[in-house]
Amino acid sequence: MVDSIPVITVDGPGGVGKGTVSRVVAEKLGWHLLDSGALYRLVGLSALKRGVELDDEAAVAGLAMDLDAEFAGNSGDSTVIMLDHVDVSDEIRTENVGSAASRVAALPAVRQALLERQRRFCRPPGLVADGRDMGTVVFPDAQLKVFLQASREERASRRYKQLKDKGISVNLHALLGEIEERDARDSSRQVAPMRPAEGAVIIDTTRMGINDVVDNILRAWKERAE
Ligand code: DC
């Protein structure tokens, strides 16, 4: 990472609004965007497609190392994501792939394999990096670190709406259970557990709209940059 390139990290659990907030902040600043969760989802999907066991650390790390992934510009308000030259933008958002992502993300060799790839997203004029360990591990020198949180019920209901809008059928109760399971796994793992970075600005988004969260982050950034 080049120190002079500004980085804002946005970490937090699933369904907290990180993805949308990070995209809007990046657009407003004219910066690049790293959706690190998508990389873990691609590794999970790649393992599922190839029939690789999700706890076979060496094999999954091999997939992560050789991941043929492309973030190919925007379609509407989301990025087109390609795996092995196939558009998997919708497929990686299913709970099944999210759960696979969370399992492979607990493997140290997989995290190591994705580290440099994530850091290469840091290019001028700046980067907004969204994930679980952006502020703690991947970009520890980021000028602004944000940690978003919201109640589990609110996150489950947001995820429900998001998936339903995409035509993916889900059960709210099952979704809540999956979110609880994923939170527990993501925050208790040995390597790079999900937690606020030191000095992070913590924002509870339970009762906030996207624009308010974006404004809070831009205000915090302006204060740091002045
Ligand atoms: O943000 P998301 O739901 O797309 O992330 C999917 C999974 O990937 C999540 O359960 C944990 C993992 N992940 C991670 O361990 N570290 C990151 N920086 C981003 C995601």
Side-chain angles (χ1 to χ4, degrees), residues 18 36 41 102 105 111 132-133 159 182 186 189:
K18 283 183 315 266
S36 61
R41 285 172 183 268
S102 167
R111 303 200 73 83
R132 303 288 188 291
D133 62 340
R159 199 68 131 187
R182 195 124 71 87
D186 293 345
R189 67 180 173 226

Side-chain angles (χ1 to χ4, degrees), residues 9-179:
T9 58
V10 183
D11 288 307
V16 81
K18 283 183 315 266
T20 312
V21 164
S22 300
R23 186 169 37 75
V24 177
V25 170
E27 268 166 22
K28 293 214 178 225
L29 292 170
W31 291 4
H32 299 283
L33 175 68
L34 164 61
D35 172 1
S36 61
L39 288 173
Y40 287 98
R41 285 172 183 268
L42 286 168
V43 174
L45 178 61
S46 179
L48 292 174
K49 278 189 189 291
R50 289 175 162 81
V52 170
E53 293 293 333
L54 296 176
D55 54 4
D56 183 340
E57 184 163 4
V60 181
L63 293 179
M65 223 112 65
D66 298 335
L67 199 65
D68 183 355
E70 204 188 329
F71 291 77
N74 287 324
S75 147
D77 59 3
S78 58
T79 306
V80 176
I81 298 175
M82 314 283 287
L83 176 65
D84 299 324
H85 310 284
V86 176
D87 182 349
V88 293
S89 316
D90 287 337
E91 199 175 359
I92 60 162
R93 299 298 163 196
T94 61
E95 283 309 300
N96 186 33
V97 175
S99 163
S102 167
R103 285 181 61 189
V104 300
L107 306 171
V110 172
R111 303 200 73 83
Q112 187 58 38
L114 291 181
L115 197 55
E116 274 314 309
R117 188 190 280 256
Q118 294 175 86
R119 289 184 174 153
R120 282 200 297 273
F121 279 76
C122 185
R123 284 176 284 123
L127 176 72
V128 179
D130 144 13
R132 303 288 188 291
D133 62 340
M134 297 296 99
T136 50
V137 175
V138 182
F139 300 107
D141 299 327
Q143 289 83 345
L144 175 63
K145 299 178 182 183
V146 177
F147 191 87
L148 301 183
Q149 54 194 25
S151 74
R152 282 191 183 144
E153 291 70 22
E154 176 64 22
R155 291 191 280 129
S157 115
R158 285 181 194 168
R159 199 68 131 187
Y160 179 79
K161 283 196 204 106
Q162 221 176 30
L163 293 171
K164 235 180 141 202
D165 285 349
K166 288 190 183 216
I168 302 170
S169 82
V170 275
N171 170 299
L172 184 58
H173 187 71
L175 210 51
L176 188 59
E178 277 160 17
I179 280 184

